[in-house]
Amino acid sequence: MRPFNYEAPTDLATAVARASVSANAHVNSPIQYKGGGTTLIDLMKLDVMRPEVLVDITGLRDEAMHRIDHSAGELRIGSLVSMAALHEDESTVRDYPLLTESLWQGASQQLRNMARLGGNVLQRTRCSYFRDPSFEQCNKRVPGSGCAALDGANRGHAILGTSEHCIALYAGDWAPALIALDARVEVLGRSGLRTLEFKDLHRLPGTTPHIETNLVPGELITAIIVPGGPKRRSLYRKIRDRQSYQFANASAAVALELDGDVVRDVRIGLGGVATIPWRAHKAEQALRSQRLDEASATAAADAEFMDATTRKGNLYKVSLGKATLVRSLLEAKAMEVA
Ligand code: SF4
């Protein structure tokens, strides 16, 4: 690991001002925030990320960033809350089971204890070419260098939202649940506080896969807000190579409202198949006002994956992604509403 300066401000404004000085949106921005560090420190050890300054934000004395708040008819999660703390929060388990279920399936207990939720949504891809600097071709790590995964080992790569410049998978489990629940993100930067829809946080790779989010350089996520709403049937289903801690080959987060057998509303987030947390708008559109059964669920899955772009190793994700979605929808339908 390369030498770096370590700073641990206790004041939020000071931290943001410090990180805004020369930060940029590239993976190797010279100033990086450090929360739990579960992604960042790994990538520093691998020499993929080479920050000159780490701004440790875990000791910030901003109480709201450490708190889970259910008081305003919605759920406000401070970005420094750990995965474990939210997973064990009884009110969240009762009212937002999709969130806690996806957290449970998203990491080992040790990681849940360390990782903070603001960092969780910004976790980096597991693409092996990105994580190994001995490979010269990686547009995400070295812009303009090419993409070794296009014709390389791409079994774990994305089939939705890809470009000719990058097919790296967004590997997280919690973000598909957030996107299905219409979450928002509160961020603080040099220009002050702003809120953006969670669906607008991540950027498709396009021609600039090294710029992964719509955050302005130096902006810090301070909270994630999940609207309240009607009781829904909801679940998170994750298919992976082994049942213990492993990234998804395909996953689906479903929040469903029914009138009898007919879909009044449905929100679907997909994981394991796309370059960003994926809102399945086409499937949702196909299902609204339809009777939910195997045929309509299959038609919705077909619509969502119609534009999938596959490579030699990840062709299987089309059928797996569809099957995961169909099964999740039918299982959600069969649930009792609490
Ligand atoms: Fe790099 Fe993206 Fe290609 Fe992986 S898929 S090698 S992250 S450019």
Side-chain angles (χ1 to χ4, degrees):
M1 191 187 286
R2 296 174 190 235
F4 59 89
N5 289 332
Y6 174 82
E7 300 177 9
T10 55
D11 174 66
L12 174 57
T14 303
V16 170
R18 179 69 181 103
S20 299
V21 171
S22 62
N24 63 49
H26 183 264
V27 61
N28 268 330
S29 176
I31 302 183
Q32 297 280 343
Y33 291 116
K34 189 201 82 65
T38 54
T39 293
L40 174 63
I41 304 301
D42 270 2
L43 291 177
M44 288 172 66
K45 287 179 180 172
L46 292 169
D47 204 28
V48 173
M49 296 182 73
R50 303 164 185 173
E52 295 161 15
V53 179
L54 285 193
V55 180
D56 189 336
I57 55 174
T58 54
L60 290 179
R61 287 196 302 254
D62 186 281
E63 204 251 328
M65 289 180 72
H66 298 268
R67 194 176 61 203
I68 303 165
D69 184 357
H70 291 267
S71 64
E74 59 186 9
L75 170 60
R76 188 182 192 284
I77 309 158
S79 61
L80 290 174
V81 172
S82 69
M83 292 175 74
L86 189 68
H87 176 255
E88 291 157 14
D89 180 64
E90 288 182 9
S91 298
T92 307
V93 172
R94 184 190 62 225
D95 296 336
Y96 301 88
L98 187 51
L99 294 183
T100 50
E101 201 178 338
S102 57
L103 282 176
W104 172 253
Q105 296 189 50
S108 65
Q109 183 64 45
Q110 291 89 341
L111 282 171
R112 282 196 295 273
N113 290 341
M114 282 298 292
R116 311 306 167 104
L117 290 165
N120 175 287
V121 298
L122 299 177
Q123 63 187 272
R124 295 226 126 100
T125 183
R126 310 300 299 184
C127 173
S128 53
Y129 302 109
F130 172 75
R131 294 171 65 85
D132 184 348
S134 69
F135 287 99
E136 291 178 2
Q137 288 188 313
C138 176
N139 286 323
K140 191 182 281 294
R141 182 165 36 78
V142 185
S145 61
C147 173
L150 294 178
D151 297 312
N154 46 40
R155 180 175 181 274
H157 286 68
I159 58 173
L160 295 173
T162 62
S163 76
E164 283 299 310
H165 300 270
C166 182
I167 58 171
L169 182 76
Y170 179 87
D173 292 288
W174 198 50
L178 289 173
I179 212 163
L181 294 176
D182 285 331
R184 308 187 303 279
V185 184
E186 184 185 274
V187 299
L188 181 67
R190 244 188 317 209
S191 307
L193 201 63
R194 69 182 178 116
T195 302
L196 63 161
E197 300 292 322
F198 187 79
K199 66 178 173 54
D200 297 328
L201 177 62
H202 297 85
R203 286 166 57 112
L204 290 168
T207 57
T208 55
H210 59 291
I211 304 175
E212 298 179 341
T213 72
N214 287 313
L215 295 178
V216 174
E219 273 188 327
L220 177 65
I221 296 178
T222 51
I224 295 162
I225 299 145
V226 185
K231 289 284 184 190
R232 305 182 181 106
R233 296 166 165 85
S234 70
L235 54 74
Y236 183 68
R237 288 290 173 267
K238 176 177 180 180
I239 309 301
R240 43 190 159 173
D241 286 339
R242 57 179 186 192
Q243 192 54 33
S244 60
Y245 174 46
Q246 180 62 280
F247 295 97
N249 300 112
S251 70
V254 171
L256 178 66
E257 292 174 55
L258 291 175
D259 280 325
D261 280 351
V262 175
V263 176
R264 185 187 323 138
D265 194 19
V266 62
R267 293 115 189 268
I268 302 166
L270 298 179
V273 291
T275 52
I276 58 174
W278 193 260
R279 181 77 182 257
H281 288 294
K282 290 176 185 162
E284 293 176 7
Q285 181 69 26
L287 285 165
R288 287 204 180 93
S289 304
Q290 300 297 312
R291 181 180 296 277
L292 179 55
D293 55 22
E294 182 140 9
S296 63
T298 301
D302 287 344
E304 193 59 47
F305 284 86
M306 191 165 52
D307 298 328
T309 303
T310 59
R311 297 275 159 181
K312 190 176 175 189
N314 62 11
L315 183 61
Y316 76 100
K317 286 197 175 190
V318 176
S319 52
L320 184 67
K322 288 182 187 177
T324 304
L325 178 52
V326 171
R327 176 176 145 190
S328 303
L329 287 165
L330 296 179
E331 284 186 18
K333 179 188 175 187
M335 294 173 78
E336 297 289 329
V337 183

